[in-house]
Amino acid sequence: MPRFAKVIVDSYLDKALDYEIPSHLSTTIGIGSRVRVPLRNRSVLGIVTGFADHSDVPNIRPIQAVLGERPLVPPILLKLAEWMSNYYLCSLDAAIRTVLPYAVRNEKIRQKTTKFLKLRRSFTNHELDVLAKRSPRQAQILRILSNQPNCQIEIRKLEEEIGKAGQHLRRLSAAGFVEIFEQAVNRDPYANQNFLQDTPRTLNPAQQKAFLSALEAIANPASSRPLLLHGVTGSGKTEVYLQLVQHVLNIGKSAIILIPEISLAPQTVERFKSRFSPIQNQIAVLHSNLSEGQRHDEWFKVLRGEARIVIGARSALFAPLNNLGILIVDEEHDPSYKQEETPRYNARDLAIVRSRLEPCAILLGSATPSVESYHNAQSEKYALIELPERVDEKKLPIIRILDMKVHNRKKGSLRGIFAPYLLEAIQKRLQKNEQVILFLNRRGHSTFLQCPSCGYVEMCSNCSISLTYHRTCEKLICHICGQTKRIPTQCPKCSNRGILFSGLGTQKLEDLVQKEFPTARIIRMDSDTMTARDAHRQAFSKFRSQQADILIGTQMIAKGLDFPNVTLVGIVNADLSLYHPDFRAGERTFQLLTQVAGRAGRGDTEGEVIIQTYSPENPAIQFARRHDFLGFWEQEKEFRECFGHPPFRRMILLTLSGEKENHVEFLAKSLWRNLSSKLPPDCNISEPVPAPLSKAKGAYRFQLILRLPKDKPIYLHNLKSLLSSFSIPSNFSLTVDVDPYNLL
Ligand code: ADP
Ligand code: ZN
């Protein structure tokens, strides 16, 4: 046994510390063990990341205790944490904290136990009758026990039936008739739900082909490429996942299924719970809506090997499963796989890394694959599988595009917010008792300038993203390259003088709609109204059971839409997402429109989608209208390549924030000078500019965007050491976002 252990201490240095292993702990300690160690005059917790036979540290101190019966972090997950810290430029400690959830790290959260009562021998009716004369209550308890499975019952349940019985239980126990014991119970988030078993469907030829490719990858994971399953909405992707998981279980392995946001898509969990209902307790569900206790129990169920299927949002990727057969990432394009706090990892990308470390098969699925993943498929890093048709042969809805430049001039248009055509369409659906969804696809708080008469938007000539309007300095700024422009007093294209655009919120939209349709029942869903834990589910179920006529919301309602009675979906202003100051704006718009189109008209009446825009000719809108993914991808790829956006270069976003605007700017400039002089010339580093969200929580924010060549991972390493040697005063903060998804 080695004499020393390397320990990463919680929230301390980005460096393992050496400790001596006392001989009485040498048999219980392992890599990934949770340990208690002395640090200065405190006692702290940490994780063992390695062993050594000698150490140069003078006066080395011993480990005080090893917690738990087994190591908490399997070696593969430690390697994954190390990878995360190197790639996402975060500390190893932060990466380990991500891999090991709070509910497990925190010693105060424990397994819950409860008291049971068990019969020690059987009793004849005669014996019970005799006892009943002396103590009817005790006889009653024994009778109840005899009728329980295994002749045992949870005391809490017994007392719910017969009232407090402490004294009788003690007597029965003293007489040797019953035994009282404690047993661990799991706080199961799905304890009170029943799932009817459903049976596998016979796969159609396209599904069969997908299934076989994945079987091959499961059998030979080390020599197989990641699989990208591109299947239109309703093409039977989930059915393929279910059968693959069944196969993996059959050969004695386990599976992880990642889904973007569970609260928005509870159906997927339900389908797995139903399909595997006889072994329901082998499914663990991990997501943010669990209590800490539930999360603790689900996690330990996995560690003990009791659960072999894990379903969850991004953190489920770190489930400590053994013998992983397949990792499935559903809706792989979804931005919520990206964690928007340090470490800012992307679970889809880390899933690929984990699958290489295991090794196991990996399947990414989507109706609208991300530009990045599809690029990997086209360049044969991934293997592409396609499900081009819907299973039920339902028709996709008709998509109509309304050019607001034309409609604004018509009589009856509502201040450029509703074209008369959309208002009439809503009216018609309401008269027929059908339901309507209105999307206001607004993101963040950024503002762009748009001419209401010709639709012109000022774009950056270097980056081809919209310029952001900054009220404080009265300028237009590009957030990728830093280009600035004066605000035009009239439209450069049509000379209109009223060019300023002001945003429209969901609240205001609701008021307008209510005024227009006074008797309509409206539900509004956005981040203001959906703060309660169960709010989504309630709003959705209210709408599904037709207790409302119109649902108004932001993109949070694009997912999980399955309302048979919805026959009209209106996109109020497609330009809001089209001119988001982000190189992915076109991709997001295309995905959103495709999602919506794939979901409207799920019932028997044909659906209609109406898109209002000033840019009807925009490719994202046109390709979505034609349901042409490949066409969209080809032009988008060209655009990304031409302007040096991901996936052609690696983007890194640095954001500095602090209380005094000019101090933050000064610091940002000195960071910029520092990096510019030290990084190789094939890295682009933009000059610092105020972030689109230039002030948040009282702090001013400045950004720098770096674009590095993709084939030189060493640059990441260099950048990490440059950043750690650049000292940031304590009243400022620097966030580092590798492969950012949110450029605000
Ligand atoms: P996706 O995940 O691509 O949206 P699903 O797997 O949810 O598609 O399939 C859509 C619907 O079609 C579901 O109700 C599913 O049960 C059904 N389905 C899937 N595959 C088949 C099949 N081979 N035969 C019959 N029905 C199927
Ligand atoms: Zn630019």
Side-chain angles (χ1 to χ4, degrees):
M1 189 64 206
R3 284 190 51 206
F4 303 103
K6 307 221 162 263
V7 177
I8 292 275
V9 169
D10 290 9
S11 315
Y12 194 58
L13 293 172
D14 186 18
K15 181 174 139 223
L17 306 178
D18 288 1
Y19 287 94
E20 193 185 355
I21 305 171
S23 57
H24 70 279
L25 294 180
S26 68
T27 49
T28 43
I29 198 167
I31 297 216
S33 283
R34 191 95 174 119
V35 290
R36 180 168 283 291
V37 293
L39 183 70
R40 300 213 192 83
N41 50 5
R42 290 179 300 147
S43 165
V44 294
L45 292 174
I47 293 281
V48 175
T49 57
F51 292 123
D53 285 322
H54 72 271
S55 166
D56 301 330
V57 181
N59 305 329
I60 198 157
R61 300 165 76 182
I63 290 176
Q64 294 162 329
V66 176
L67 311 181
E69 294 150 26
R70 65 185 97 213
L72 291 185
V73 192
I76 283 176
L77 290 179
L78 272 183
K79 281 201 195 121
L80 191 62
E82 217 169 283
W83 195 96
M84 195 193 302
S85 122
N86 290 332
Y87 185 84
Y88 292 105
L89 313 184
C90 66
S91 70
L92 186 53
D93 162 58
I96 290 177
R97 268 183 284 143
T98 306
V99 168
L100 198 63
Y102 173 82
V104 177
R105 264 183 295 123
N106 188 322
E107 280 183 294
K108 296 203 183 82
I109 301 167
R110 295 235 169 95
Q111 182 74 40
K112 205 172 125 190
T113 58
T114 180
K115 284 194 173 138
F116 280 82
L117 190 67
K118 187 179 170 74
L119 210 54
R120 297 191 77 161
R121 68 171 178 90
S122 54
F123 291 84
T124 61
N125 269 332
H126 176 68
E127 281 178 297
L128 292 176
D129 290 341
V130 172
L131 177 63
K133 286 190 190 121
R134 193 160 42 83
S135 165
R137 294 269 281 162
Q138 290 179 19
Q140 183 196 12
I141 292 170
L142 294 183
R143 267 189 228 281
I144 291 175
L145 273 179
S146 324
N147 292 326
Q148 296 297 317
N150 295 330
C151 296
Q152 69 179 49
I153 190 172
E154 207 182 317
I155 291 179
R156 190 180 52 87
K157 287 223 178 92
L158 178 77
E159 292 190 330
E160 265 169 28
E161 228 171 278
I162 63 163
K164 284 274 169 232
Q167 181 195 359
H168 298 297
L169 298 184
R170 278 192 296 277
R171 294 230 173 99
L172 285 169
S173 167
F177 293 169
V178 301
E179 175 191 346
I180 296 171
F181 65 97
E182 284 212 19
Q183 190 171 304
V185 284
N186 282 340
R187 284 153 287 196
D188 179 354
Y190 294 87
N192 301 319
Q193 291 183 40
N194 267 325
F195 297 92
L196 283 183
Q197 191 177 1
D198 96 321
T199 44
R201 314 287 195 279
T202 310
L203 298 180
N204 65 31
Q207 287 174 314
Q208 185 69 18
K209 210 171 143 210
F211 181 71
L212 290 176
S213 312
L215 286 198
E216 169 68 28
I218 292 166
N220 304 301
S223 57
S224 297
R225 290 176 289 164
L227 305 170
L228 177 63
L229 179 62
H230 175 206
V232 299
T233 43
S235 59
K237 294 185 291 298
T238 312
E239 183 62 36
V240 173
Y241 304 157
L242 289 163
Q243 299 200 16
L244 286 172
V245 171
Q246 182 65 64
H247 169 81
V248 160
L249 295 184
N250 292 348
I251 60 170
K253 296 194 166 188
S254 57
I256 296 180
I257 300 96
L258 298 186
I259 52 186
E261 276 171 73
I262 294 218
S263 56
L264 303 186
Q267 313 89 295
T268 311
V269 176
E270 277 162 31
R271 282 179 70 184
F272 274 84
K273 287 261 178 190
S274 307
R275 180 64 57 88
F276 298 102
S277 70
I279 51 162
Q280 215 199 96
N281 53 357
Q282 292 191 25
I283 303 181
V285 181
L286 295 168
H287 58 82
S288 55
N289 269 3
L290 302 184
S291 69
E292 292 294 350
Q294 288 171 335
R295 201 193 311 272
H296 172 279
D297 294 355
E298 292 289 284
W299 196 91
F300 274 97
K301 213 164 94 179
V302 178
L303 187 72
R304 289 191 302 264
E306 289 161 23
R308 294 202 293 148
I309 305 173
V310 174
I311 308 176
R314 55 179 182 258
S315 65
L317 173 65
F318 307 115
L321 273 172
N322 262 327
N323 206 2
L324 198 54
I326 193 167
L327 244 163
I328 295 171
V329 184
D330 191 25
E331 309 285 0
E332 66 86 23
H333 66 277
D334 198 294
S336 60
Y337 281 123
K338 173 81 177 177
Q339 169 150 295
E340 293 297 351
E341 56 194 66
T342 307
R344 295 171 179 258
Y345 69 91
N346 184 316
R348 181 222 28 225
D349 298 341
L350 274 187
I352 303 269
V353 178
R354 179 164 184 183
S355 79
R356 301 298 90 175
L357 292 171
E358 292 276 348
C360 70
I362 175 146
L363 177 66
L364 311 179
S366 174
T368 49
S370 61
V371 171
E372 286 84 350
S373 295
Y374 206 75
H375 177 67
N376 283 332
Q378 291 291 333
S379 55
E380 306 205 334
K381 261 173 82 180
Y382 296 173
L384 181 65
I385 322 172
E386 294 187 291
L387 301 179
E389 263 144 47
R390 301 181 92 169
V391 173
D392 54 11
E393 288 166 352
K394 281 234 168 79
K395 269 196 274 168
L396 291 167
I398 303 169
I399 302 183
R400 277 181 227 287
I401 297 172
L402 303 185
D403 184 345
M404 292 304 274
K405 300 193 291 289
V406 176
H407 287 273
N408 269 351
R409 292 182 221 125
K410 286 192 186 155
K411 236 179 73 198
S413 83
L414 210 60
R415 277 166 269 171
I417 292 168
F418 285 114
Y421 184 91
L422 178 54
L423 291 176
E424 282 158 26
I426 297 174
Q427 184 69 46
K428 269 190 227 148
R429 302 294 174 171
L430 293 181
Q431 271 162 5
K432 287 198 274 183
N433 279 327
E434 294 169 3
Q435 290 172 294
V436 176
I437 291 179
L438 292 176
F439 270 109
L440 189 70
N441 37 325
R442 182 178 164 74
R443 302 182 60 212
H445 307 273
S446 75
T447 321
F448 57 97
L449 289 189
Q450 186 169 42
C451 170
S453 132
C454 77
Y456 177 83
V457 172
E458 284 268 26
M459 307 286 281
C460 170
S461 52
N462 303 325
C463 309
S464 194
I465 66 166
S466 66
L467 296 174
T468 300
Y469 167 55
H470 279 263
R471 213 171 300 258
T472 43
C473 59
E474 282 290 319
K475 269 191 187 135
L476 294 172
I477 304 181
C478 167
H479 289 279
I480 293 191
C481 73
Q483 189 192 122
T484 60
K485 260 194 185 164
R486 294 231 318 274
I487 295 177
T489 49
Q490 59 182 50
C491 173
K493 201 168 142 204
C494 75
S495 308
N496 178 338
R497 286 186 175 273
I499 189 169
L500 260 189
F501 181 83
S502 65
L504 166 71
T506 38
Q507 169 76 63
K508 194 165 151 208
L509 186 68
E510 182 184 355
D511 297 345
L512 285 171
V513 175
Q514 191 72 79
K515 229 164 117 194
E516 202 65 18
F517 306 103
T519 58
R521 296 162 303 168
I522 302 176
I523 298 182
R524 173 162 65 97
M525 282 181 79
D526 56 25
S527 45
D528 296 335
T529 57
M530 293 293 118
T531 46
R533 197 181 257 204
D534 210 26
H536 283 102
R537 215 179 47 79
Q538 282 177 15
F540 278 140
S541 86
K542 197 167 158 198
F543 192 59
R544 184 170 288 121
S545 58
Q546 300 184 28
Q547 296 173 56
D549 308 300
I550 303 178
L551 176 63
I552 295 180
T554 52
Q555 34 271 78
M556 73 163 59
I557 66 176
K559 298 172 202 167
L561 268 186
D562 192 0
F563 305 112
N565 196 44
V566 170
T567 52
L568 173 66
V569 175
I571 314 268
V572 178
N573 185 352
D575 299 25
L576 288 177
S577 75
L578 215 46
Y579 297 112
H580 192 66
D582 184 338
F583 66 92
R584 287 194 183 86
E587 181 182 8
R588 288 275 169 277
T589 308
F590 178 82
Q591 286 165 350
L592 176 75
L593 299 182
T594 309
Q595 287 274 357
V596 172
R599 298 188 183 254
R602 288 227 144 182
D604 297 326
T605 10
E606 197 175 11
E608 181 180 14
V609 177
I610 296 178
I611 302 174
Q612 301 194 124
T613 176
Y614 289 92
S615 326
E617 69 298 335
N618 188 287
I621 292 180
Q622 285 300 331
F623 285 115
R625 184 170 75 114
R626 295 201 293 270
H627 308 288
D628 181 1
F629 174 81
L630 193 63
F632 172 74
W633 179 79
E634 275 168 353
Q635 72 85 36
E636 182 69 15
K637 180 193 121 183
E638 220 164 90
F639 152 67
R640 302 265 184 107
E641 192 159 22
C642 172
F643 290 98
H645 296 319
F648 295 93
R649 306 211 91 198
R650 175 170 289 127
M651 185 178 271
I652 298 169
L653 170 68
L654 304 179
T655 308
L656 271 166
S657 57
E659 265 171 38
K660 291 231 165 64
E661 190 174 11
N662 53 350
H663 292 183
V664 182
E665 185 173 13
F666 181 82
L667 191 67
K669 283 202 168 130
S670 82
L671 178 61
W672 173 70
R673 271 192 303 273
N674 191 296
L675 295 178
S676 306
S677 67
K678 288 181 184 146
L679 282 173
D682 54 348
C683 299
N684 315 68
I685 310 165
S686 69
E687 275 193 55
V689 290
L693 185 61
S694 57
K695 195 177 176 191
K697 294 179 191 145
Y700 287 92
R701 308 168 75 241
F702 276 75
Q703 289 182 343
L704 273 107
I705 287 186
L706 279 66
R707 278 175 296 173
L708 316 183
K710 281 202 87 166
D711 53 357
K712 297 182 177 153
I714 183 72
Y715 286 4
L716 279 175
H717 180 77
N718 297 347
L719 182 62
K720 190 176 185 184
S721 49
L722 280 177
L723 288 175
S724 60
S725 64
F726 184 84
S727 75
I728 309 274
S730 61
N731 45 348
F732 295 87
S733 79
L734 169 67
T735 60
V736 180
D737 193 349
V738 179
D739 303 336
Y741 266 66
N742 179 357
L743 298 179
L744 297 187

